[in-house]
Amino acid sequence: MKKMLLIIFFAGIVGSTAQNYVLIKKLDGSTISSDSLTKKIEQLMKNGDVKGLGVAVFNSKKPVYIKTFGYSDVENKKQLQLQTNLYGASFSKAVFAVLVLKLVEEGVLDLDKPLQSYLPKPIYEYEHKVWHEDYKDLKDSPQYTKVTARMCLDHTAGFPNWRWFESDEKLRIKFEPGTRYSYSGEGLTYLQVVIEKITGKPLEDLAQEKIFKPLGMTSSSYKWQPQFEKDYAYGYDTEGKKQEKDKDNAPRGAGTLETTFEDYSKFITAILNKKILKAKSYKEMFSPQIRIHSKNQFGPGALEDGNWNDKIELSYGLGWGVLKSPYGVGAFKEGQGSGFQNYSIVYPEKGIGMLIMSNSYPTSGIIKYLLETGIADTYTPWEWDQYIPYDAKKGL
């Protein structure tokens, strides 16, 4: 009996070890073991001073590596778990894009119909309950009546990123809609507000009904939920300072997603397997809508045009950035705010992708190396995204 128990015990150890050891296939056909990837990630975190991090790698359209590292609360030594609440930041936009295209499939919305034409009166005449529903300033920017859902999703609506970044904090159209890429949370928020008026449903209800519940994302929401209180991550800025957790945001499709690493991995899996939407919609979402020639996505470089990313034909699709590679289209989305730093990229034709979520701004300094190590992605426009490697910053 004792001998039999020993056999079962050691068999369990061997089985567990085999389960933890996975050979991960990269874009170029090379491989890396899960153990080697884990060691590399741990070293990069140490070098880059990253507090907490989640990394998932997808092969054959499913996660073959999914692991969290470090802390959700450094001061209290609370470890980051797969089920820990994380701020999604602009990952919100990728989910919102799928929601919008679902409504297009259902005939609720047309991508190329001016959004104002859905409303019985000018949007600036509506009463507002929260600040992002206040469009009184658009009375002085009549070009807004040309803005379509497509323009909002591919960031050519002409709005600023957020009105509070303007010197007078007023919302206005800054260039002719449809003519130039300029990242805009305001554009997606305008689309959200119109959708809420058309459907009579708030964003949160629509997202739960059409995205979160169907995908089993039980810990995801566009607003703070009481259930998140038991285990949530704090963000940490570039100096390692703990950020106050913001829990009172009104739901916005452009930036208030609360999720977990486990839940968002389900979303990426659904994207790779073309769930929720029809194949035609995915093709449209990942098709270049507008070429991008700017040096950087934000800052002064956003207004400086050149050929920096012509090799990958950097463009924007609907809610996602897109690039060309020898392995087909790469569709990516970033997310940053309140100390959190997120990045994801999928190569649908190869069934390969990578998801990175962190509660630490310095993660931007290791994203390039994570992508190269995990899936041999050397195509992500890290300079455009200003993901400057930690050793370059230190002059190493």
Side-chain angles (χ1 to χ4, degrees):
M1 183 67 178
K2 187 180 290 185
K3 186 177 180 181
M4 180 61 71
L5 288 173
L6 284 172
I7 291 172
I8 293 172
F9 175 74
F10 285 114
I13 292 176
V14 172
S16 176
T17 302
Q19 191 175 18
N20 290 333
Y21 183 91
V22 176
L23 206 57
I24 299 164
K25 188 175 181 180
K26 305 183 188 184
L27 288 168
D28 60 4
S30 64
T31 59
I32 184 172
S33 72
S34 52
D35 290 346
S36 295
L37 180 55
T38 293
K39 289 176 183 176
K40 181 65 175 180
I41 291 170
E42 289 172 342
Q43 187 60 55
L44 285 171
M45 287 182 68
K46 182 179 179 180
N47 293 347
D49 192 26
V50 173
K51 309 303 182 187
L53 178 69
V55 175
V57 179
F58 301 79
N59 280 181
S60 301
K61 304 180 182 180
K62 63 181 184 295
V64 292
Y65 179 93
I66 180 167
K67 190 173 178 62
T68 52
F69 304 80
Y71 300 102
S72 60
D73 183 343
V74 175
E75 291 74 13
N76 292 302
K77 300 298 180 185
K78 190 173 182 179
Q79 292 196 333
L80 180 65
Q81 307 286 346
L82 292 176
Q83 296 82 22
T84 300
N85 167 267
L86 290 165
Y87 175 46
S90 284
F91 272 4
S92 307
K93 297 177 176 69
V95 176
F96 182 63
V98 174
L99 171 61
V100 172
L101 288 173
K102 184 65 175 176
L103 294 174
V104 171
E105 288 183 354
E106 294 173 355
V108 175
L109 196 67
D110 186 298
L111 283 173
D112 297 306
K113 182 178 178 179
L115 293 170
Q116 175 58 67
S117 66
Y118 286 97
L119 307 179
K121 61 182 180 181
I123 196 164
Y124 52 76
E125 290 185 3
Y126 286 85
E127 294 293 324
H128 64 277
K129 295 180 180 179
V130 291
W131 68 266
H132 71 252
E133 297 174 342
D134 181 2
Y135 288 102
K136 63 179 182 296
D137 292 335
L138 290 186
K139 188 173 184 179
D140 298 324
S141 288
Q143 309 99 304
Y144 90 89
T145 58
K146 300 177 183 179
V147 174
T148 65
R150 187 185 302 275
M151 293 175 191
C152 293
L153 291 173
D154 68 15
H155 296 281
T156 63
F159 290 115
N161 189 5
W162 293 109
R163 65 188 74 183
W164 61 74
F165 292 146
E166 299 297 290
S167 58
D168 57 4
E169 296 191 359
K170 287 188 176 182
L171 182 63
R172 58 173 61 83
I173 295 290
K174 303 189 72 172
F175 58 82
E176 184 65 19
T179 62
R180 182 182 176 87
Y181 172 84
S182 183
Y183 194 84
S184 175
E186 289 284 1
L188 276 86
T189 303
Y190 171 54
L191 172 56
Q192 171 194 331
V193 171
V194 172
I195 286 173
E196 289 177 327
K197 293 186 185 304
I198 293 172
T199 63
K201 295 180 179 180
L203 168 68
E204 177 65 15
D205 289 358
L206 289 168
Q208 290 292 345
E209 174 191 340
K210 300 182 184 298
I211 308 291
F212 300 142
K213 289 181 180 178
L215 295 181
M217 297 172 66
T218 57
S219 298
S220 295
S221 174
Y222 275 107
K223 65 180 181 180
W224 185 258
Q225 301 286 356
Q227 71 186 77
F228 302 154
E229 290 287 347
K230 62 184 178 184
D231 184 15
Y232 63 89
Y234 287 94
Y236 293 84
D237 66 14
T238 52
E239 305 301 321
K241 184 179 179 182
K242 190 177 192 177
Q243 302 297 292
E244 183 179 351
K245 179 63 183 177
D246 195 349
K247 302 178 183 179
D248 62 355
N249 279 320
R252 293 195 307 277
T256 64
L257 178 67
E258 297 287 348
T259 188
T260 65
F261 196 72
E262 183 176 67
D263 261 19
Y264 206 80
S265 295
K266 292 178 182 179
F267 178 70
I268 296 297
T269 301
I271 293 296
L272 284 167
N273 287 278
K274 294 183 170 62
K275 300 292 185 181
I276 301 293
L277 300 175
K278 298 175 183 177
K280 181 180 178 182
S281 295
Y282 275 103
K283 184 177 180 181
E284 185 75 8
M285 187 164 70
F286 293 153
S287 292
Q289 307 290 320
I290 183 81
R291 276 292 297 276
I292 298 173
H293 300 287
S294 61
K295 184 177 183 180
N296 300 121
Q297 182 161 210
F298 300 112
L303 299 175
E304 186 179 347
D305 288 347
N307 60 0
W308 295 280
N309 292 295
D310 283 359
K311 188 175 180 181
I312 59 170
E313 297 184 26
L314 180 62
S315 307
Y316 225 80
L318 299 177
W320 301 66
V322 293
L323 56 84
K324 284 192 176 182
S325 80
Y327 311 104
V329 169
F332 63 91
K333 188 69 199 79
E334 319 88 339
Q336 176 182 303
S338 301
F340 291 81
Q341 190 76 257
N342 306 322
Y343 187 79
S344 66
I345 187 164
V346 294
Y347 288 85
E349 293 175 40
K350 296 287 286 186
I352 289 175
M354 193 165 188
L355 170 63
I356 300 164
M357 296 185 75
S358 170
N359 63 337
S360 186
Y361 271 168
T363 301
S364 63
I366 67 172
I367 285 177
K368 176 180 183 290
Y369 299 136
L370 289 171
L371 293 167
E372 290 175 353
T373 303
I375 60 172
D377 172 17
T378 59
Y379 309 98
T380 283
W382 56 269
E383 291 175 293
W384 180 73
D385 266 319
Q386 295 169 293
Y387 292 152
I388 310 304
Y390 71 89
D391 45 1
K393 292 177 182 177
K394 297 176 181 177
L396 298 178

